[in-house]
Amino acid sequence: MTCVIGKTGRVRIDLHCHSTASDGTDSPADLVAAAAAAGLGALAITDHDTTAGWAEAAAALPPGLRLVRGAELTCVAEDGRGGTCTIHLLAYLFDPQAQAVVDEYARTRAERRTRLRTMAGRMAADGYPVDPDALLADLPPDASAGRPHLAQALVRAGVVESVTEAFTKLLHGRNGYYVPSRKTPVRDAIAMVRAAGGVTVLAHGFAHRRGPVITAEVLVDLVGGGLDGVEIDHPDHDPDARARLRAIAAEHDLIVTGSSDYHGTNKTVRLGAETTDPGMLAAIVDRATGADLLVGA
Ligand code: AMP
Ligand code: FE
Ligand code: FE
Ligand code: ZN
């Protein structure tokens, strides 16, 4: 499609943000308003495993703000050391009606609800003041349920003071409360997004403090499987991770992005804390055929 963004200039672009359609705390309309208020020129809405926020964000788009409609897909990959690990795939400008994508992430969202109910049930059985039914009932019907929703319930019940504390003490995955979420094999996800006209970027690929990450060899292999780019400037990447990713991206001519991974008040990072070069957004838009970049009128 025609690109409506210059390849240079000072426009600030944040390509990884969450709304209440998943585990952010700003509604999609509030998210685009906050982006304009923060002085951003372009923003991607990338809720976990859903496109449910796209319509509201598009309808509320402030004048001049560009909206990249996307999602962050929960995937599993071989880690390159004989095991597997969870990875997140940013998918941009794909056709949200593509049946394979619709079916895959409807299954994931359904299982996310069951899984969150199980986790809350285990905690309730241990005496924590959380009600699994109320937790699920409070979520918008097509929202993607995640551990931050349970974390908020624990904050509301006074068990912990913050979402971060809930993760550190209870939701970290190394105790009996944790239930894994459904994950798509990453090669299938890349192929599915491609077939739907979208562009894929590996999210926070070398953020080792979050948990196990893939090796450089696996990453290069995913590029062979159609991966378009890597997110480099991300709050969870240390300088060494950024440098290693930059070297791989240069060698393989990848799209590179920088983004905040904003979650509203569920995380401390601010919108636009990390940004993407306009030329890279132009490359994403040039490559995509599934959905248009929107510009607020
Ligand atoms: P889930 O996909 O349900 O397993 O939840 C993972 C989500 O929890 C991530 O997308 C983050 O938004 C959030 N998260 C993970 N670790 C933390 C943390 N330490 N503090 C706050 N939020 C976190
Ligand atoms: Fe999240
Ligand atoms: Fe992520
Ligand atoms: Zn994210």
Side-chain angles (χ1 to χ4, degrees):
M1 67 169 277
T2 323
C3 187
V4 295
I5 191 156
K7 295 195 185 212
T8 54
R10 297 169 57 83
V11 58
R12 292 173 64 241
I13 299 167
D14 191 337
L15 293 184
H16 183 169
C17 304
H18 296 264
S19 77
T20 49
S22 65
D23 56 1
T25 57
D26 291 2
S27 68
D30 288 345
L31 177 64
V32 291
L40 295 178
L43 162 111
I45 179 167
T46 54
D47 280 302
H48 295 285
D49 306 317
T50 186
T51 59
W54 285 18
E56 185 185 318
L61 204 55
L65 184 68
R66 292 118 172 142
L67 178 67
V68 181
R69 290 169 290 171
E72 183 178 18
L73 308 177
T74 313
C75 298
V76 61
E78 71 274 24
D79 60 10
R81 300 175 197 87
T84 60
C85 68
T86 299
I87 61 174
H88 289 171
L89 186 71
L90 292 161
Y92 297 118
L93 299 176
F94 57 95
D95 174 2
Q97 318 271 7
Q99 206 57 49
V101 174
V102 169
D103 291 349
E104 177 67 8
Y105 293 98
R107 277 193 292 272
T108 295
R109 290 194 302 279
E111 289 199 21
R112 274 183 166 281
R113 282 177 180 259
T114 310
R115 170 250 194 171
L116 203 67
R117 179 188 288 278
T118 305
M119 285 187 69
R122 288 181 183 179
M123 297 189 74
D126 246 7
Y128 286 98
V130 285
D131 176 345
D133 293 324
L135 180 67
L136 273 286
D138 282 350
L139 286 175
D142 50 1
S144 184
R147 279 181 285 166
H149 295 107
L150 182 50
Q152 283 166 355
L154 292 164
V155 173
R156 282 195 300 272
V159 176
V160 287
E161 283 186 4
S162 68
V163 167
T164 307
E165 189 187 343
F167 270 90
T168 314
K169 292 197 172 154
L170 293 162
L171 303 177
H172 43 68
R174 298 179 301 280
N175 60 25
Y177 301 131
Y178 181 75
V179 178
S181 63
R182 182 175 189 275
K183 293 161 185 88
T184 309
V186 66
R187 280 163 223 283
D188 296 349
I190 291 170
M192 213 182 292
V193 171
R194 272 214 148 189
V199 173
T200 53
V201 172
L202 179 68
H204 45 73
F206 284 177
H208 52 85
R209 275 178 305 217
R210 296 171 74 114
V213 299
I214 58 174
T215 59
E217 289 71 27
V218 173
L219 171 51
V220 170
D221 211 46
L222 295 180
V223 172
L227 179 71
D228 295 287
V230 286
E231 185 179 56
I232 294 182
D233 293 314
H234 181 283
D236 293 345
H237 277 159
D238 58 27
D240 176 62
R242 293 178 198 222
R244 286 186 294 126
L245 280 167
R246 232 178 272 288
I248 295 168
E251 187 177 345
H252 296 275
D253 198 21
L254 302 182
I255 290 174
V256 302
T257 66
S259 300
S260 65
D261 203 354
Y262 176 73
H263 279 71
T265 57
N266 276 343
K267 288 190 181 175
T268 53
V269 72
R270 289 186 310 180
L271 265 177
E274 308 266 11
T275 56
T276 296
D277 184 85
M280 291 298 168
L281 175 55
I284 290 172
V285 173
D286 281 348
R287 221 173 268 195
T289 57
D292 290 338
L293 180 74
L294 301 180
V295 189

